[in-house]
């Protein structure tokens, strides 16, 4: 199969590289000359474990190439995926589809024989219909089927998610397109990944509903965490206890500082807007969005409370800045709100993140970056764990205690057993668990 990926951002690059790894021939296209030049020079512009190796192997095997122009490769393609960005539109939270429609028009102008055009970008319900209308009205002579095929990749685990998906959702009722999509995903079918065919609008809604449900699940456990803390229960055990019920499931029940990233905040908001437009509001999701926004601010207050209610003139060491581990992505990261609250409270903030510091420098206010947790802990009045990177899970507590001014750990990801931290003489404040005061 010849596949073209329009947009070589996170989704396009991961999907393109993995399709090439299945044996298809893939061209990843991007308008950014700098990005294509970098990719051609073997540089991968995002941090995703395992991606560099797959890109390199498939380039060497001649199955993966990059281009700034879509026309030559689209002309020969069986399938063209649209994987361009759909950011939140400024002001109203709707998904901005400018790039999607622009890509669709360019693709239609370039296709030759029967071609399947697939939206992989997260697009509101009805976008496929609109693309089809554009094709019908502006390119009536072209033979194109429009399909929805949302992605469910998690940053940091994208390669595994792509190769071992729980399901592949394909929205089309066109018989020829169904055959082509079966062929595209045949290698996964051999891995027994279910291909789930449905109507295009249904497929578009599945993507939003899935992300909104997961965001709601996290928000639910976050509220139970607050309640646990007040009434003396342990949220981790509550999560385990309810998660053993197969109807609930144990995934996405880790209480924390609130969800962030490039997907949940944007997609929940877009679903809220779409539902309002159709006069069928999704109140659970509206509430989820509001609770999550408040939570990030509440986390700032939690840190201040752990520092005896005042951080003025104190030094706070922040471990982890990215919205989750194994990524360099800072988009909507809880750290942004937390660091701001600390700066507003008069604290000096020193931070360390294994991958996110470059991106953080453009986003966070005046803070100091260090080379490891021990360096930033020197003379600190508290350590705050904001992102659960592996390297923070087994810190040398004895060493930290000797360098800190005041041994306090605020663990917003619950990665330490309270008793172990307390044993070393720390004050320990976690999420939804009993605090250990010095
Ligand atoms: C999410 C979905 O999990 C993917 O299925 C989807 O494809 C993707 O959005 C997308 O729409 O592109 P991602 O944003 O990469 O993936 O990251 P997640 O692992 O889902 O985490 C999102 C946020 O929720 C993070 O801030 C994370 O720390 C938080 N989270 C997650 C929790 O606080 N608790 C949990 O139990 C799980």
């Amino acid at each position: 199969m010849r596949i073209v990926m329009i947009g070589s951002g996170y989704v396009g690059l991961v999907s393109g590289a993995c399709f090439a790894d299945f044996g298809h021939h893939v061209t990843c296209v991007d308008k950014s000359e700098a990005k294509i030049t970098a990719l051609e020079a073997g540089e991968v512009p995002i941090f995703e474990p395992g991606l560099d190796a797959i890109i390199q192997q498939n380039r060497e095997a001649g199955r993966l190439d990059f281009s700034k122009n879509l026309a030559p490769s689209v002309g020969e393609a069986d399938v063209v995926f649209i994987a361009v960005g759909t950011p939140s539109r400024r002001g109203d939270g709707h998904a901005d589809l400018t790039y999607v429609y622009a890509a669709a028009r360019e693709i239609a102008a370039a296709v030759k024989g029967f071609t399947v055009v697939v939206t992989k970008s997260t697009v509101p319900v009805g976008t496929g219909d609109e693309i089809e209308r554009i094709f019908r009205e502006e390119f009536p002579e072209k033979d194109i089927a429009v399909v929805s095929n949302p992605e469910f990749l998690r940053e940091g685990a994208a390669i595994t998610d792509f190769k071992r998906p729980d399901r592949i959702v394909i929205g089309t009722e066109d018989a020829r397109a169904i055959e082509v999509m079966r062929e595209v995903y045949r290698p996964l079918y051999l891995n027994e990944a279910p291909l789930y065919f449905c109507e295009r609008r249904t497929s578009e809604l599945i993507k939003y509903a899935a992300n909104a449900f997961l965001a709601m699940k996290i928000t639910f456990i976050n509220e139970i965490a607050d309640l646990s803390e007040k009434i003396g229960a342990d949220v981790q055990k509550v999560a385990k206890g309810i998660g053993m019920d197969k109807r609930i499931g144990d995934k996405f029940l880790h209480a924390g500082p609130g969800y962030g990233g490039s997907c949940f905040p944007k997609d929940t908001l877009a679903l809220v807007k779409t539902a309002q437009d159709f006069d069928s509001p999704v109140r659970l999701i509206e509430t989820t969005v509001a609770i999550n926004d408040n939570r990030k601010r509440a986390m700032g207050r939690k840190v201040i409370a752990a520092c005896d209610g005042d951080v003025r003139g104190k030094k706070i060491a922040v471990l982890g800045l990215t919205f989750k581990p194994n990524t360099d992505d800072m988009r909507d990261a809880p750290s942004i709100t937390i660091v701001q609250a600390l700066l507003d409270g008069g604290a000096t903030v020193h931070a360390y993140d294994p991958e996110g510091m470059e991106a953080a420098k453009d986003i966070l206010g005046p803070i100091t970056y260090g080379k490891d947790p021990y360096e930033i802990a020197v003379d600190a009045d508290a350590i705050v764990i904001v992102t659960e990177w592996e390297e923070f899970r087994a810190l040398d507590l004895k060493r930290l205690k000797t360098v800190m001014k005041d041994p306090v750990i605020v663990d917003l990801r619950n990665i330490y057993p309270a008793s172990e931290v307390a044993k070393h003489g720390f004050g320990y404040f976690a999420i939804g668990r009993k605090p250990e005061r010095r």
Side-chain angles (χ1 to χ4, degrees):
M1 288 251 129
R2 294 191 85 84
I3 296 178
V4 179
M5 217 24 96
I6 310 295
S8 300
Y10 191 79
V11 172
L13 215 47
V14 171
S15 312
C18 289
F19 279 137
D21 213 36
F22 290 166
H24 299 309
H25 184 277
V26 181
T27 303
C28 290
V29 176
D30 203 285
K31 287 229 177 299
S32 157
E33 186 147 5
K35 196 180 272 180
I36 294 300
T37 312
L39 284 163
E40 279 177 336
E43 292 161 26
V44 179
I46 52 169
F47 175 79
E48 179 63 37
L51 182 60
D52 333 27
I54 297 192
I55 290 182
Q56 196 193 336
Q57 283 155 17
N58 285 283
R59 286 193 72 214
E60 282 167 10
R63 286 192 298 265
L64 179 63
D65 50 41
F66 302 101
S67 174
K68 217 173 91 52
N69 300 321
L70 63 74
S73 49
V74 166
E76 292 178 14
D78 301 291
V79 190
V80 182
F81 284 89
I82 300 180
V84 298
T86 53
S88 282
R89 209 159 59 189
R90 238 176 246 287
D92 67 3
H94 273 293
D96 182 348
L97 298 174
T98 318
Y99 304 114
V100 172
Y101 293 136
R105 286 194 169 87
E106 268 193 71
I107 294 165
V111 300
K112 293 202 172 115
F114 172 65
T115 309
V116 179
V117 172
V118 188
T119 50
K120 215 167 214 341
S121 305
T122 299
V123 291
V125 178
T127 305
D129 292 359
E130 179 59 16
I131 294 176
E132 196 168 87
R133 189 192 60 76
I134 293 172
F135 289 171
R136 209 175 37 241
E137 291 179 5
E138 299 178 24
F139 305 89
E141 72 290 359
K142 301 288 173 113
D143 189 10
I144 308 174
V146 181
V147 172
S148 157
N149 171 219
E151 57 84 18
F152 301 102
L153 310 176
R154 284 165 306 163
E155 289 188 20
I159 308 286
T160 325
D161 283 353
F162 194 94
K163 295 196 166 176
R164 303 225 161 260
D166 289 343
R167 80 310 202 182
I168 298 148
V169 174
I170 299 174
T172 180
E173 290 164 284
D174 180 302
R176 286 185 301 168
I178 289 175
E179 277 323 299
V180 170
M181 294 307 284
R182 269 195 206 288
E183 191 54 28
V184 166
Y185 281 107
R186 198 171 45 81
L188 280 186
Y189 189 64
L190 298 176
N191 284 350
E192 296 183 6
L195 288 188
Y196 181 58
F197 287 95
C198 54
E199 312 80 33
R200 199 166 52 206
R201 283 182 165 246
T202 303
S203 164
E204 288 169 342
L205 186 55
I206 285 173
K207 169 66 188 184
Y208 281 99
N211 272 2
F213 189 87
L214 292 170
M216 187 177 69
K217 204 172 173 190
I218 297 167
T219 305
F220 171 81
I221 203 65
N222 284 343
E223 287 211 304
I224 295 294
D226 291 349
L227 180 62
S228 299
E229 229 166 288
K230 291 265 163 60
I231 61 179
D234 180 330
V235 74
Q236 283 182 303
K237 293 182 182 159
V238 174
K240 193 164 178 191
I242 61 173
M244 283 190 280
D245 184 329
K246 289 198 179 63
R247 293 170 302 175
I248 296 174
D250 59 357
K251 302 280 189 319
F252 277 65
L253 283 180
H254 297 292
Y259 60 78
S262 61
C263 305
F264 288 173
K266 166 175 80 71
D267 294 348
T268 44
L269 210 56
L271 182 61
V272 163
K273 296 292 169 190
T274 303
Q276 284 169 355
D277 285 354
F278 282 87
D279 202 17
S280 181
V282 282
R283 294 202 187 87
L284 281 171
I285 308 308
E286 288 175 12
T287 306
T288 297
V289 170
I291 296 172
N292 195 63
D293 285 348
N294 285 335
R295 184 165 191 82
K296 293 180 185 171
R297 288 191 287 275
M299 290 300 114
R301 293 194 292 276
K302 185 180 176 81
V303 177
I304 295 171
C307 297
D308 301 324
D310 190 7
V311 288
R312 188 158 302 279
K314 293 186 177 168
K315 173 178 171 180
I316 310 293
V318 173
L319 297 190
L321 296 170
T322 51
F323 81 98
K324 66 179 215 173
N326 297 323
T327 174
D328 56 1
D329 200 333
M330 282 293 296
R331 282 176 286 182
D332 272 308
S335 66
I336 300 170
T337 315
I338 296 167
V339 165
Q340 193 54 51
L342 296 174
L343 293 174
D344 291 347
T348 316
V349 177
H350 289 236
Y352 166 71
D353 186 284
E355 295 293 336
M357 292 195 287
E358 269 318 302
K361 283 175 189 161
D362 296 333
I363 299 172
L364 300 180
I367 70 169
T368 306
Y369 296 91
K371 70 172 181 6
D372 63 40
Y374 304 99
E375 184 184 278
I376 63 167
V378 173
D379 290 332
D381 293 275
I383 285 177
V384 185
I385 301 171
V386 182
T387 315
E388 70 278 31
W389 285 91
E390 281 299 328
E391 65 178 84
F392 302 155
R393 288 180 186 270
L395 293 169
D396 182 342
L397 296 174
K398 216 161 133 194
R399 183 172 163 201
L400 284 177
K401 173 111 190 299
T402 54
V403 299
M404 289 178 73
K405 187 160 159 203
D406 201 6
V408 170
I409 294 182
V410 185
D411 178 2
L412 301 181
R413 297 290 184 168
N414 284 344
I415 58 176
Y416 279 93
S419 55
E420 187 193 323
V421 187
K423 202 175 68 196
H424 284 85
F426 281 87
Y428 178 71
F429 301 84
I431 298 282
R433 294 151 66 208
K434 196 164 76 54
E436 296 281 347
R437 298 181 196 281
R438 278 159 302 142

PDB file of all heavy atoms in Angstrom, residues 25-45:
ATOM      1  N   HIS A  25       4.422   1.519   2.139  1.00  0.00           N
ATOM      2  CA  HIS A  25       5.307   2.626   1.773  1.00  0.00           C
ATOM      3  C   HIS A  25       4.651   3.930   2.220  1.00  0.00           C
ATOM      4  O   HIS A  25       3.506   4.205   1.842  1.00  0.00           O
ATOM      5  CB  HIS A  25       5.590   2.668   0.269  1.00  0.00           C
ATOM      6  CG  HIS A  25       6.571   3.745  -0.038  1.00  0.00           C
ATOM      7  ND1 HIS A  25       6.187   5.063  -0.186  1.00  0.00           N
ATOM      8  CD2 HIS A  25       7.921   3.735  -0.121  1.00  0.00           C
ATOM      9  CE1 HIS A  25       7.265   5.811  -0.368  1.00  0.00           C
ATOM     10  NE2 HIS A  25       8.331   5.027  -0.338  1.00  0.00           N
ATOM     11  N   VAL A  26       5.363   4.715   3.027  1.00  0.00           N
ATOM     12  CA  VAL A  26       4.745   5.904   3.628  1.00  0.00           C
ATOM     13  C   VAL A  26       5.548   7.170   3.320  1.00  0.00           C
ATOM     14  O   VAL A  26       6.770   7.176   3.439  1.00  0.00           O
ATOM     15  CB  VAL A  26       4.655   5.750   5.170  1.00  0.00           C
ATOM     16  CG1 VAL A  26       3.996   6.979   5.799  1.00  0.00           C
ATOM     17  CG2 VAL A  26       3.895   4.488   5.548  1.00  0.00           C
ATOM     18  N   THR A  27       4.825   8.218   2.920  1.00  0.00           N
ATOM     19  CA  THR A  27       5.452   9.537   2.813  1.00  0.00           C
ATOM     20  C   THR A  27       4.796  10.447   3.854  1.00  0.00           C
ATOM     21  O   THR A  27       3.575  10.590   3.867  1.00  0.00           O
ATOM     22  CB  THR A  27       5.230  10.152   1.409  1.00  0.00           C
ATOM     23  OG1 THR A  27       5.750   9.243   0.438  1.00  0.00           O
ATOM     24  CG2 THR A  27       5.935  11.494   1.279  1.00  0.00           C
ATOM     25  N   CYS A  28       5.610  11.034   4.716  1.00  0.00           N
ATOM     26  CA  CYS A  28       5.099  11.994   5.692  1.00  0.00           C
ATOM     27  C   CYS A  28       5.335  13.397   5.146  1.00  0.00           C
ATOM     28  O   CYS A  28       6.472  13.755   4.817  1.00  0.00           O
ATOM     29  CB  CYS A  28       5.812  11.855   7.038  1.00  0.00           C
ATOM     30  SG  CYS A  28       5.390  10.346   7.910  1.00  0.00           S
ATOM     31  N   VAL A  29       4.262  14.160   5.049  1.00  0.00           N
ATOM     32  CA  VAL A  29       4.347  15.495   4.463  1.00  0.00           C
ATOM     33  C   VAL A  29       4.153  16.539   5.559  1.00  0.00           C
ATOM     34  O   VAL A  29       3.358  16.332   6.476  1.00  0.00           O
ATOM     35  CB  VAL A  29       3.244  15.660   3.386  1.00  0.00           C
ATOM     36  CG1 VAL A  29       3.238  17.066   2.811  1.00  0.00           C
ATOM     37  CG2 VAL A  29       3.403  14.619   2.283  1.00  0.00           C
ATOM     38  N   ASP A  30       4.884  17.622   5.448  1.00  0.00           N
ATOM     39  CA  ASP A  30       4.642  18.737   6.382  1.00  0.00           C
ATOM     40  C   ASP A  30       5.003  20.042   5.692  1.00  0.00           C
ATOM     41  O   ASP A  30       5.927  20.081   4.882  1.00  0.00           O
ATOM     42  CB  ASP A  30       5.478  18.576   7.665  1.00  0.00           C
ATOM     43  CG  ASP A  30       4.869  19.333   8.827  1.00  0.00           C
ATOM     44  OD1 ASP A  30       4.991  20.575   8.859  1.00  0.00           O
ATOM     45  OD2 ASP A  30       4.254  18.691   9.693  1.00  0.00           O
ATOM     46  N   LYS A  31       4.251  21.085   6.022  1.00  0.00           N
ATOM     47  CA  LYS A  31       4.495  22.388   5.389  1.00  0.00           C
ATOM     48  C   LYS A  31       5.762  23.036   5.930  1.00  0.00           C
ATOM     49  O   LYS A  31       6.337  23.906   5.291  1.00  0.00           O
ATOM     50  CB  LYS A  31       3.323  23.331   5.681  1.00  0.00           C
ATOM     51  CG  LYS A  31       2.070  23.008   4.914  1.00  0.00           C
ATOM     52  CD  LYS A  31       1.537  24.289   4.256  1.00  0.00           C
ATOM     53  CE  LYS A  31       0.308  24.053   3.385  1.00  0.00           C
ATOM     54  NZ  LYS A  31       0.510  23.165   2.269  1.00  0.00           N
ATOM     55  N   SER A  32       6.168  22.618   7.138  1.00  0.00           N
ATOM     56  CA  SER A  32       7.338  23.243   7.744  1.00  0.00           C
ATOM     57  C   SER A  32       8.618  22.687   7.124  1.00  0.00           C
ATOM     58  O   SER A  32       8.963  21.512   7.299  1.00  0.00           O
ATOM     59  CB  SER A  32       7.338  22.987   9.256  1.00  0.00           C
ATOM     60  OG  SER A  32       8.651  23.105   9.756  1.00  0.00           O
ATOM     61  N   GLU A  33       9.304  23.569   6.418  1.00  0.00           N
ATOM     62  CA  GLU A  33      10.545  23.171   5.750  1.00  0.00           C
ATOM     63  C   GLU A  33      11.571  22.715   6.787  1.00  0.00           C
ATOM     64  O   GLU A  33      12.272  21.717   6.600  1.00  0.00           O
ATOM     65  CB  GLU A  33      11.084  24.355   4.942  1.00  0.00           C
ATOM     66  CG  GLU A  33      12.279  23.970   4.114  1.00  0.00           C
ATOM     67  CD  GLU A  33      12.352  24.750   2.808  1.00  0.00           C
ATOM     68  OE1 GLU A  33      11.533  25.665   2.582  1.00  0.00           O
ATOM     69  OE2 GLU A  33      13.251  24.425   2.025  1.00  0.00           O
ATOM     70  N   ALA A  34      11.606  23.450   7.924  1.00  0.00           N
ATOM     71  CA  ALA A  34      12.591  23.135   8.971  1.00  0.00           C
ATOM     72  C   ALA A  34      12.353  21.709   9.478  1.00  0.00           C
ATOM     73  O   ALA A  34      13.302  20.942   9.686  1.00  0.00           O
ATOM     74  CB  ALA A  34      12.458  24.139  10.110  1.00  0.00           C
ATOM     75  N   LYS A  35      11.083  21.354   9.654  1.00  0.00           N
ATOM     76  CA  LYS A  35      10.771  20.026  10.185  1.00  0.00           C
ATOM     77  C   LYS A  35      11.193  18.923   9.198  1.00  0.00           C
ATOM     78  O   LYS A  35      11.819  17.943   9.572  1.00  0.00           O
ATOM     79  CB  LYS A  35       9.263  19.928  10.453  1.00  0.00           C
ATOM     80  CG  LYS A  35       8.893  18.764  11.332  1.00  0.00           C
ATOM     81  CD  LYS A  35       7.404  18.709  11.576  1.00  0.00           C
ATOM     82  CE  LYS A  35       6.972  19.511  12.768  1.00  0.00           C
ATOM     83  NZ  LYS A  35       5.522  19.458  12.991  1.00  0.00           N
ATOM     84  N   ILE A  36      10.874  19.155   7.923  1.00  0.00           N
ATOM     85  CA  ILE A  36      11.220  18.132   6.919  1.00  0.00           C
ATOM     86  C   ILE A  36      12.739  18.014   6.789  1.00  0.00           C
ATOM     87  O   ILE A  36      13.290  16.909   6.718  1.00  0.00           O
ATOM     88  CB  ILE A  36      10.559  18.475   5.557  1.00  0.00           C
ATOM     89  CG1 ILE A  36       9.020  18.367   5.689  1.00  0.00           C
ATOM     90  CG2 ILE A  36      11.068  17.577   4.441  1.00  0.00           C
ATOM     91  CD1 ILE A  36       8.476  17.003   6.083  1.00  0.00           C
ATOM     92  N   THR A  37      13.425  19.145   6.786  1.00  0.00           N
ATOM     93  CA  THR A  37      14.890  19.105   6.685  1.00  0.00           C
ATOM     94  C   THR A  37      15.462  18.329   7.870  1.00  0.00           C
ATOM     95  O   THR A  37      16.348  17.489   7.707  1.00  0.00           O
ATOM     96  CB  THR A  37      15.472  20.544   6.679  1.00  0.00           C
ATOM     97  OG1 THR A  37      14.737  21.302   5.733  1.00  0.00           O
ATOM     98  CG2 THR A  37      16.933  20.563   6.315  1.00  0.00           C
ATOM     99  N   ALA A  38      14.929  18.607   9.067  1.00  0.00           N
ATOM    100  CA  ALA A  38      15.430  17.910  10.260  1.00  0.00           C
ATOM    101  C   ALA A  38      15.169  16.408  10.144  1.00  0.00           C
ATOM    102  O   ALA A  38      16.060  15.589  10.385  1.00  0.00           O
ATOM    103  CB  ALA A  38      14.759  18.473  11.507  1.00  0.00           C
ATOM    104  N   LEU A  39      13.964  16.048   9.725  1.00  0.00           N
ATOM    105  CA  LEU A  39      13.624  14.616   9.623  1.00  0.00           C
ATOM    106  C   LEU A  39      14.515  13.927   8.587  1.00  0.00           C
ATOM    107  O   LEU A  39      14.974  12.803   8.791  1.00  0.00           O
ATOM    108  CB  LEU A  39      12.145  14.455   9.246  1.00  0.00           C
ATOM    109  CG  LEU A  39      11.163  14.706  10.394  1.00  0.00           C
ATOM    110  CD1 LEU A  39       9.742  14.938   9.863  1.00  0.00           C
ATOM    111  CD2 LEU A  39      11.164  13.542  11.385  1.00  0.00           C
ATOM    112  N   GLU A  40      14.762  14.635   7.493  1.00  0.00           N
ATOM    113  CA  GLU A  40      15.630  14.037   6.467  1.00  0.00           C
ATOM    114  C   GLU A  40      17.054  13.870   6.970  1.00  0.00           C
ATOM    115  O   GLU A  40      17.775  12.980   6.538  1.00  0.00           O
ATOM    116  CB  GLU A  40      15.586  14.880   5.195  1.00  0.00           C
ATOM    117  CG  GLU A  40      14.339  14.540   4.393  1.00  0.00           C
ATOM    118  CD  GLU A  40      14.163  15.381   3.151  1.00  0.00           C
ATOM    119  OE1 GLU A  40      14.702  16.502   3.115  1.00  0.00           O
ATOM    120  OE2 GLU A  40      13.478  14.913   2.237  1.00  0.00           O
ATOM    121  N   ALA A  41      17.438  14.738   7.916  1.00  0.00           N
ATOM    122  CA  ALA A  41      18.792  14.631   8.479  1.00  0.00           C
ATOM    123  C   ALA A  41      18.820  13.620   9.628  1.00  0.00           C
ATOM    124  O   ALA A  41      19.816  13.478  10.327  1.00  0.00           O
ATOM    125  CB  ALA A  41      19.251  16.001   8.966  1.00  0.00           C
ATOM    126  N   GLY A  42      17.705  12.950   9.838  1.00  0.00           N
ATOM    127  CA  GLY A  42      17.667  11.910  10.877  1.00  0.00           C
ATOM    128  C   GLY A  42      17.325  12.438  12.259  1.00  0.00           C
ATOM    129  O   GLY A  42      17.430  11.723  13.245  1.00  0.00           O
ATOM    130  N   GLU A  43      16.890  13.709  12.349  1.00  0.00           N
ATOM    131  CA  GLU A  43      16.521  14.253  13.668  1.00  0.00           C
ATOM    132  C   GLU A  43      15.017  14.129  13.865  1.00  0.00           C
ATOM    133  O   GLU A  43      14.244  14.504  12.990  1.00  0.00           O
ATOM    134  CB  GLU A  43      16.888  15.739  13.754  1.00  0.00           C
ATOM    135  CG  GLU A  43      18.373  16.001  13.755  1.00  0.00           C
ATOM    136  CD  GLU A  43      18.680  17.441  13.375  1.00  0.00           C
ATOM    137  OE1 GLU A  43      17.829  18.324  13.590  1.00  0.00           O
ATOM    138  OE2 GLU A  43      19.777  17.659  12.817  1.00  0.00           O
ATOM    139  N   VAL A  44      14.633  13.614  15.025  1.00  0.00           N
ATOM    140  CA  VAL A  44      13.205  13.465  15.309  1.00  0.00           C
ATOM    141  C   VAL A  44      12.781  14.635  16.207  1.00  0.00           C
ATOM    142  O   VAL A  44      13.321  14.816  17.291  1.00  0.00           O
ATOM    143  CB  VAL A  44      12.930  12.110  15.999  1.00  0.00           C
ATOM    144  CG1 VAL A  44      11.453  11.958  16.313  1.00  0.00           C
ATOM    145  CG2 VAL A  44      13.412  10.973  15.103  1.00  0.00           C
ATOM    146  N   PRO A  45      11.832  15.450  15.725  1.00  0.00           N
ATOM    147  CA  PRO A  45      11.530  16.690  16.454  1.00  0.00           C
ATOM    148  C   PRO A  45      10.739  16.512  17.745  1.00  0.00           C
ATOM    149  O   PRO A  45      10.532  17.466  18.471  1.00  0.00           O
ATOM    150  CB  PRO A  45      10.699  17.496  15.439  1.00  0.00           C
ATOM    151  CG  PRO A  45      10.163  16.504  14.482  1.00  0.00           C
ATOM    152  CD  PRO A  45      11.102  15.359  14.454  1.00  0.00           C
TER     153      PRO A  45
END
